[in-house]
Amino acid sequence: MDGAWDTAMADVVRGSGAYGGLLYVLPPRDPALWLVMTAGVPQEIAAPWRRVSPSDPMPVADAVRERRLVWVGDREEMARRYPRPALVLPYDFRLAAAPVLADGAVRGGLVLLWSGDRADRLSADERHAVEAGCVRLGELMRTAADSGAPLLPTDRPRALRPPSGRAPSPAEATALAAFVDRLPGGSCGLDANGRITFITPAAAGLVGADRAELVGALPWEALPWMDVPQVEDRYRAALVSRLPQAFTVLRPPRTWLAFELYPDSTGISVRITRGEPDDGAGEQALPTAGPGRATVLYHLMHLASTLTEAVGVQEVVDQTADQLLPALGAQAMVLMTAEDGRLRIVGHRGYRAELMDRFDGIPLSSEVPGADVMATGVPGFFATFAEMADAYPATVHEDGMAAWAVLPLIASGRPIGSLLLSYERPHAFPPGERAALTSLAGLVGQALDRARLYDAKHHLAHRLQSALLPHTLPRVPGLRVAARYLPAARGLGVGGDFYDLIRLDEHTAGAAIGDVQGHNVDAAALMGQVRTAVHAHATVGAAPGDVLARTNRLLTDLDPGLFTSCAYVHLDLATRRACLATAGHPPPLLRHPDGRTELLRVPPGLLLGIEPDIRYPAREFTLPPGSVLALYTDGLVEAPGVDLDDATAALAGLLEHADAADLDATADALIRHAPTPGDDIALLLISPDA
């Protein structure tokens, strides 16, 4: 990256009034956004988001995917819409994300950050500056790509240097030093990475360390007693929000020190004075009540990671209760959703079942917090029962709790339920904790939405797939077979891939494999029709090319609007010969008895269902004892950014080195080779006995 990039990035940050920004690039043949430049944002702050998938719940991902500017106006909005980054950065700041385009193509994304005390929306001039900056950056990316040197991610994003301040004259420097020394207490300066750049003698005396040992060090590393959560947390808050921060910390054994932090684009000025443990400024500055921030973040980030693996509603309930209650010091929780205009309790912890049964099924119009939050999407925090009674006069105090947080469960931008957290003692909810709880509820809402979809559709997928795929493969004397089916990681878990083994007579059999376009009920239904047609035509003794031609005519008559690839092979076990025809399907692999593996290329016919009168050429080949014929669908080899020929060659290599005597082990090895299935995978292995 040369000076043009630095200038363009600096101009868009300055022109928009932002204090910093992050520039992402979308590299060729890589679906993810990669961070390539930072301006005014320390690398450690940006590190968790160096790589962003377009499907991630992140502002820059939404901006790039939807090709629009995304604005996040405050901490609570960030917590509602983007709970993951809000958990890591629960501070007051404003954010805009925009796509970087050139020639109508997405080239990357831009994120800009403003301090927490600015207006909660962009002005027309600021928006224009952002849009113009994105155009300029997009043109730079296009020019770089056209010249054969596209902007690519590196081991460490480039950090744009902050503007340097005016260098004081010798006289001014002397006057400044005297001015600082005259101030009460002590002072020190931190750079943007948190390291001490200078410290006055008075400040060194207050912290009890030598000035030479402090300069260049991180405070919480040079002074072990400062290695407590609120110190680094307030430093991060100052960097991200660009607002003054304060905290009080104990210097052992009995000295309390008060720190005031004043940030700008070049670093942080710190004032140090003697304080008291109940210093008002320090108490106001601490971000979260209840357990320490480090403990809360540990539990919440662990919950975030475990929720991504939850595949059912009960798992979401259990993991939320196990992680959340101890993290926040709450004693009970209730997870609620809406169903047919009624409140449904899908899980709870810490409450009697009898009490939950009384609320389960009440109309959503009822004056209860859980239903109200579902309707409005606005969280409710009640530090005492008196506050609850003021908001909901009809509420009866019957749960034995003293404080409550009622949080909306947001998924795809809409409330799908609510989460009630209960405390046995009165509990204040300062802004930092409210943002953390709202973020948490966003994570739970997304997990619950996925889990409900999984529970509702998994049963349908299981029934459909069980009905449409062979329950068992027929036993054919002299033939060993193994089959595998792996549903796509997306959609219903049911799609159009199928396989079949057909016993024709004592010495002949047919094998088919196919892939109907799509991953939905229509694809599954058409798959059943194709499999039935292939089976019927094969049973009456049609040759492979005729089996496909007749099935194709049926599909064109049905006009389902979906296309199908298919391969059919006729096996003559008496002569050890086979005949293969394909309709736009990946060619099978044949492993010879000596281990050599070849791709059985056949002139492919059109996909089934496009044109009614199509001929399908066939190829004959020998199938000696000990050989293995592998029929598979494209999900086994296709992956974004991977060359298909290379993937097929890799699959052939696995088959070549597999144990041909153990088809089940071979099938498992080939399936393990597959990429994370964005498509269904079907595999059929056939081997003649000696």
Side-chain angles (χ1 to χ4, degrees):
M1 302 176 71
D2 56 26
W5 295 99
D6 292 358
T7 302
M9 189 69 174
D11 286 350
V12 69
V13 171
R14 182 175 54 254
S16 64
Y19 72 72
L22 309 172
L23 179 63
Y24 287 85
V25 66
L26 192 64
R29 296 179 298 280
D30 190 334
L33 292 160
W34 285 87
L35 180 63
V36 292
M37 179 182 282
T38 65
V41 181
Q43 298 273 355
E44 58 158 321
I45 299 292
W49 302 288
R50 186 178 171 220
R51 181 185 186 277
V52 177
S53 168
S55 61
D56 285 345
M58 297 284 295
V60 68
D62 283 355
V64 167
R65 188 177 60 254
E66 300 171 11
R67 297 193 175 201
R68 66 179 180 88
L69 188 143
V70 172
W71 172 256
V72 181
D74 58 37
R75 177 165 56 176
E76 289 194 7
E77 184 180 2
M78 176 69 81
R80 286 196 305 271
R81 295 172 59 187
Y82 304 105
R84 292 183 190 175
L87 279 175
V88 181
L89 300 174
Y91 310 122
D92 288 319
F93 65 99
R94 313 289 188 252
L95 179 148
V100 174
L101 308 173
D103 293 337
V106 175
R107 305 281 178 162
L110 178 68
V111 177
L112 295 171
L113 305 172
W114 288 264
S115 65
D117 60 353
R118 63 146 287 138
D120 60 2
R121 65 182 58 192
L122 286 175
S123 68
D125 289 342
E126 290 168 336
R127 177 180 284 269
H128 175 73
V130 174
E131 293 171 347
C134 287
V135 170
R136 185 177 176 187
L137 289 166
E139 285 301 312
L140 285 174
M141 291 183 182
R142 182 191 62 78
T143 301
D146 291 347
S147 67
L151 182 60
L152 298 174
T154 58
D155 292 339
R156 185 175 177 85
R158 178 179 176 83
L160 190 64
R161 291 183 177 275
S164 57
R166 181 180 64 87
S169 67
E172 288 176 322
T174 301
L176 284 172
F179 170 79
V180 172
D181 287 341
R182 285 192 295 269
L183 294 174
S187 302
C188 73
L190 307 179
D191 64 17
N193 295 312
R195 298 191 178 276
I196 298 173
T197 56
F198 89 95
I199 185 166
T200 63
L206 285 170
V207 300
D210 186 84
R211 294 174 65 193
E213 297 176 353
L214 294 173
V215 174
L218 294 170
W220 43 88
E221 291 181 355
L223 304 168
W225 48 270
M226 292 193 73
D227 189 15
V228 290
Q230 69 264 34
V231 172
E232 187 174 357
D233 182 74
R234 290 300 85 196
Y235 157 72
R236 289 166 63 89
L239 283 180
V240 175
S241 70
R242 294 296 168 96
L243 298 176
Q245 305 292 326
F247 61 87
T248 303
V249 67
L250 175 66
R251 173 194 159 192
R254 292 180 298 274
T255 302
W256 287 90
L257 296 176
F259 292 77
E260 299 174 17
L261 281 62
Y262 300 93
D264 72 358
S265 61
T266 61
I268 299 176
S269 297
V270 183
R271 181 170 179 264
I272 309 170
T273 57
R274 292 187 180 273
E276 298 294 336
D278 59 348
D279 185 14
E283 291 299 318
Q284 293 172 8
L286 295 180
T288 54
R293 173 164 166 74
T295 301
V296 171
L297 271 182
Y298 168 80
H299 284 283
L300 296 188
M301 296 310 291
H302 184 64
L303 174 63
S305 64
T306 55
L307 284 179
T308 62
E309 301 174 1
V311 295
V313 170
Q314 191 56 50
E315 281 193 33
V316 172
V317 173
D318 292 342
Q319 291 176 6
T320 300
D322 291 344
Q323 298 294 327
L324 180 60
L325 296 184
L328 299 176
Q331 283 69 51
M333 58 155 272
V334 183
L335 207 58
M336 297 163 277
T337 62
E339 183 180 319
D340 297 328
R342 295 186 175 274
L343 184 74
R344 293 297 180 187
I345 294 176
V346 297
H348 60 89
R349 179 77 61 85
Y351 279 117
R352 304 186 317 274
E354 296 81 6
L355 181 61
M356 296 295 97
D357 290 342
R358 288 176 48 194
F359 285 91
D360 189 31
I362 65 173
L364 287 177
S365 57
S366 303
E367 291 292 324
V368 296
D372 191 35
V373 166
M374 254 186 269
T376 64
V378 178
F381 300 95
F382 309 98
T384 63
F385 180 72
E387 293 183 8
M388 174 78 80
D390 285 343
Y392 301 95
T395 300
V396 178
H397 195 183
E398 55 185 330
D399 67 353
M401 298 296 175
W404 302 263
V406 193
L407 309 164
L409 302 179
I410 306 295
S412 301
R414 60 183 179 84
I416 63 163
S418 57
L419 172 65
L420 172 72
L421 296 172
S422 305
Y423 300 78
E424 290 179 345
R425 297 179 181 178
H427 184 93
F429 296 97
E433 186 175 9
R434 294 187 181 204
L437 291 176
T438 305
S439 298
L440 167 73
L443 294 178
V444 176
Q446 292 169 11
L448 181 63
D449 195 42
R450 292 193 304 269
R452 290 171 64 192
L453 186 66
Y454 180 89
D455 283 348
K457 295 182 176 180
H458 178 68
H459 181 61
L460 170 64
H462 179 74
R463 290 181 60 190
L464 278 172
Q465 211 68 51
S466 296
L468 297 173
L469 289 173
H471 294 285
T472 59
L473 293 175
R475 292 185 177 275
V476 179
L479 204 63
R480 296 181 298 117
V481 296
R484 297 290 185 270
Y485 174 80
L486 194 65
R490 66 177 188 269
L492 292 177
V494 61
D497 285 22
F498 69 93
Y499 59 86
D500 204 358
L501 183 67
I502 309 159
R503 181 174 178 177
L504 301 176
D505 59 34
E506 184 178 355
H507 300 294
T508 60
I513 196 160
D515 182 0
V516 178
Q517 171 192 2
H519 302 89
N520 50 38
V521 175
D522 292 337
L526 183 59
M527 178 262 279
Q529 293 173 311
V530 174
R531 179 175 165 243
T532 300
V534 170
H535 196 111
H537 295 311
T539 302
V540 299
D546 291 336
V547 169
L548 295 183
R550 295 174 186 179
T551 303
N552 176 61
R553 280 195 292 271
L554 171 66
L555 292 191
T556 53
D557 288 343
L558 292 174
D559 191 21
L562 298 174
F563 306 131
T564 304
S565 72
C566 186
Y568 176 75
V569 57
H570 180 272
L571 308 168
D572 189 329
L573 303 179
T575 64
R576 307 296 188 183
R577 302 286 297 173
C579 185
L580 168 70
T582 68
H585 198 81
L589 290 168
L590 177 62
R591 183 187 189 275
H592 294 276
D594 61 1
R596 180 175 55 89
T597 301
E598 69 169 310
L599 201 63
L600 295 176
R601 296 192 181 276
V602 182
L606 276 179
L607 293 167
L608 304 179
I610 296 179
E611 294 289 342
D613 298 316
I614 297 296
R615 295 175 59 84
Y616 292 92
R619 169 184 174 176
E620 289 195 358
F621 58 95
T622 59
L623 194 67
S627 61
V628 178
L629 179 65
L631 305 172
Y632 55 93
T633 55
D634 56 11
L636 189 59
V637 290
E638 285 190 351
V642 177
D643 183 80
L644 183 59
D645 290 338
D646 292 342
T648 304
L651 182 67
L654 287 174
L655 181 60
E656 182 173 327
H657 293 92
D659 182 4
D662 190 342
L663 287 191
D664 283 317
T666 299
D668 291 338
L670 298 185
I671 287 293
R672 284 195 300 269
H673 156 79
T676 301
D679 196 1
D680 306 328
I681 295 173
L683 173 67
L684 182 61
L685 299 181
I686 300 168
S687 179
D689 287 334

